[in-house]
Amino acid sequence: MRNIFFFMLLTGTIISVKSQTRKYSNEFLNIGVDAAAFGKSNAVVASTNDVNSGYWNPAGLINIKDKQLALMHASYFANIANYDYAAFATPIDDKSAIGVSVIRFGVDDILDTRALITSGGDITPIEELPRFSTADYAFTLSYSRKPFNKNFSYGVNAKVIRRVIGDFATAWGFGLDAGLLLTSKNKAWKFGIMVRDLTTTYNSWQIEDGIFDNDLGDDPRGNGSINALNNQEAPETTEITLPSVRMGLNKTFTINRDIFIDFEADGNFRFAQTNDVISNASFSISPAFGFEANFRKLIFLRGGVGNFQKVKQFDNTNELGFQPNFGVGFHYKGVSVDYALTDIGDQSVSLYSNVFSLRIDWSLFR
């Protein structure tokens, strides 16, 4: 009965705020983490079982046996933006685990071109223009527990969002995620579900006073007043991110005592109309499929296909577009190095990215 009440409450919340939300908010949190996951087209919600579970499904944190550290760096938009991620997790006891993670997506050294042309018509040299950075941060605290059954676990995330646009605007946000993981008795089948922004995530913006004024002051070189932003109106100061649900089913095949292959199929549900292959005015669904073959849990080969989109052609017809991915990994004595060839987090046809990630298990030092 409590589950039904909660579902009705969540559905009512989604409907009540849907008309006033932006379709894309906090999109940097949808990019993903870990080259191993990218190699499988992010089809990992049912199989994630290490420090990176804090992002994909916090219920998977319960599977770590020792402290773990993960690091990743990737370039975005032809090296214009940087995407960085770090996470740490540790078991609390045999029934619970905790983790923390930080994500930064930022563009640095942006020219402030408001002062490019003065009222006197002079052009300011590029090297004299001020510069600023814009960055999005997410700080996440994760907790996982096995409540009563060794084949079932749940996890929750509490995340704080910080967004900064130079000295012009800043925002704070807060949200909750929740995940479940169910494993069959023979461990061959796994089912996972992850609900992001469970209660919706709110970003509250504070915009610098006077930033949209018509006069930015006098040019320090004596060329008159500096042109401003043409009386642009200030944007909305509140952003709301609707919940999204990702479900996955994973099957492990044992070829022999040395070779194992995992297959997983995921579905990402969003409560908005998008270009996803299944979409209407109320929701959209995008599937993803991935596999991982490993030899003695030392060498890993990964592949996947996802990002199924309806791509509009010049004649206004739609064709099905999708994104294949590839990855390899190496694990030895507590150190895992993974590589993925993927169009990282992008929904377009831009060039593929080379992504590397590192994971260290404290068993290395024991």
Side-chain angles (χ1 to χ4, degrees):
M1 193 70 185
R2 286 182 299 175
N3 292 336
I4 296 174
F5 173 76
F6 175 76
F7 177 77
M8 292 175 64
L9 179 63
L10 176 60
T11 304
T13 302
I14 293 170
I15 294 173
S16 66
V17 302
K18 185 175 179 180
S19 61
Q20 56 181 317
T21 58
R22 300 179 182 180
K23 184 179 295 186
Y24 303 105
S25 175
N26 292 334
E27 277 297 294
F28 75 104
L29 290 178
N30 293 326
I31 294 175
V33 301
D34 184 28
F38 288 140
K40 294 185 284 184
S41 293
N42 297 343
V44 296
V45 72
S47 57
T48 182
N49 59 5
D50 57 27
V51 60
N52 299 299
S53 299
Y55 177 91
W56 294 111
N57 185 349
L61 282 176
I62 197 65
N63 295 297
I64 64 174
K65 305 303 181 184
D66 207 335
K67 298 179 178 67
Q68 289 185 358
L69 173 71
L71 300 170
M72 188 191 77
H73 169 77
S75 296
Y76 206 77
F77 297 133
N79 298 324
I80 295 176
N82 291 306
Y83 182 60
D84 298 288
Y85 160 77
F88 176 80
T90 181
I92 299 175
D93 50 39
D94 60 349
K95 291 186 178 180
S96 57
I98 193 170
V100 293
S101 65
V102 179
I103 293 176
R104 181 187 187 271
F105 180 84
V107 180
D108 301 304
D109 292 326
I110 304 172
L111 291 172
D112 185 351
T113 57
R114 295 176 302 158
L116 181 62
I117 301 176
T118 68
S119 60
D122 293 328
I123 298 179
T124 305
I126 294 297
E127 59 273 11
E128 295 183 14
L129 288 175
R131 297 171 183 263
F132 66 95
S133 297
T134 177
D136 297 330
Y137 300 88
F139 307 91
T140 303
L141 176 64
S142 306
Y143 176 76
S144 178
R145 184 169 179 81
K146 289 183 178 180
F148 51 82
N149 187 318
K150 66 179 181 180
N151 296 319
F152 170 78
S153 63
Y154 68 84
V156 293
N157 288 338
K159 57 189 179 185
V160 176
I161 312 298
R162 176 64 168 168
R163 306 186 68 183
V164 180
I165 305 177
D167 296 327
F168 315 130
T170 58
W172 286 99
F174 177 79
L176 296 173
D177 306 328
L180 300 175
L181 190 61
L182 182 63
T183 305
S184 63
K185 290 183 178 180
N186 63 359
K187 299 186 183 305
W189 289 91
K190 301 182 184 70
F191 171 78
I193 182 169
M194 171 67 162
V195 183
R196 295 189 182 276
D197 306 299
L198 178 64
T199 57
T200 69
T201 295
Y202 291 81
N203 285 355
S204 179
W205 283 91
Q206 181 176 358
I207 300 174
E208 179 69 18
D209 291 339
I211 195 65
F212 290 94
D213 289 348
N214 199 36
D215 187 1
L216 296 177
D218 293 332
D219 185 352
R221 292 161 297 145
N223 293 323
S225 63
I226 300 173
N227 291 342
L229 297 179
N230 299 322
N231 289 321
Q232 293 186 34
E233 293 183 1
E236 297 177 5
T237 57
T238 301
E239 291 178 336
I240 302 175
T241 305
L242 290 175
S244 63
V245 181
R246 193 175 189 104
M247 293 188 289
L249 184 64
N250 180 275
K251 176 70 166 70
T252 300
F253 296 90
T254 301
I255 306 304
N256 54 48
R257 67 177 187 176
D258 295 327
I259 301 176
F260 304 86
I261 301 178
D262 279 358
F263 286 96
E264 180 160 334
D266 282 12
N268 188 26
F269 299 77
R270 292 185 285 182
F271 297 96
Q273 187 168 18
T274 68
N275 287 333
D276 290 341
V277 62
I278 302 172
S279 181
N280 59 34
S282 300
F283 66 90
S284 63
I285 305 174
S286 178
F289 307 92
F291 80 90
E292 176 183 84
N294 79 78
F295 175 75
R296 294 186 176 181
K297 297 184 178 180
L298 294 174
I299 301 173
F300 299 82
L301 175 66
R302 306 180 180 101
V305 59
N307 192 22
F308 290 89
Q309 301 279 302
K310 292 180 287 188
V311 182
K312 181 164 289 189
Q313 307 300 308
F314 288 110
D315 58 0
N316 288 325
T317 61
N318 289 321
E319 289 189 4
L320 178 63
F322 58 88
Q323 176 188 320
N325 298 279
F326 170 80
V328 294
F330 177 76
H331 177 85
Y332 182 70
K333 290 186 176 181
V335 178
S336 298
V337 179
D338 296 296
Y339 163 81
L341 181 65
T342 178
D343 187 4
I344 178 172
D346 200 359
Q347 308 298 316
S348 65
V349 291
S350 61
L351 296 177
Y352 271 58
S353 303
N354 298 292
V355 181
F356 292 88
S357 63
L358 173 69
R359 189 177 77 249
I360 299 175
D361 193 293
W362 254 240
S363 61
L364 173 68
F365 308 109
R366 303 189 191 284

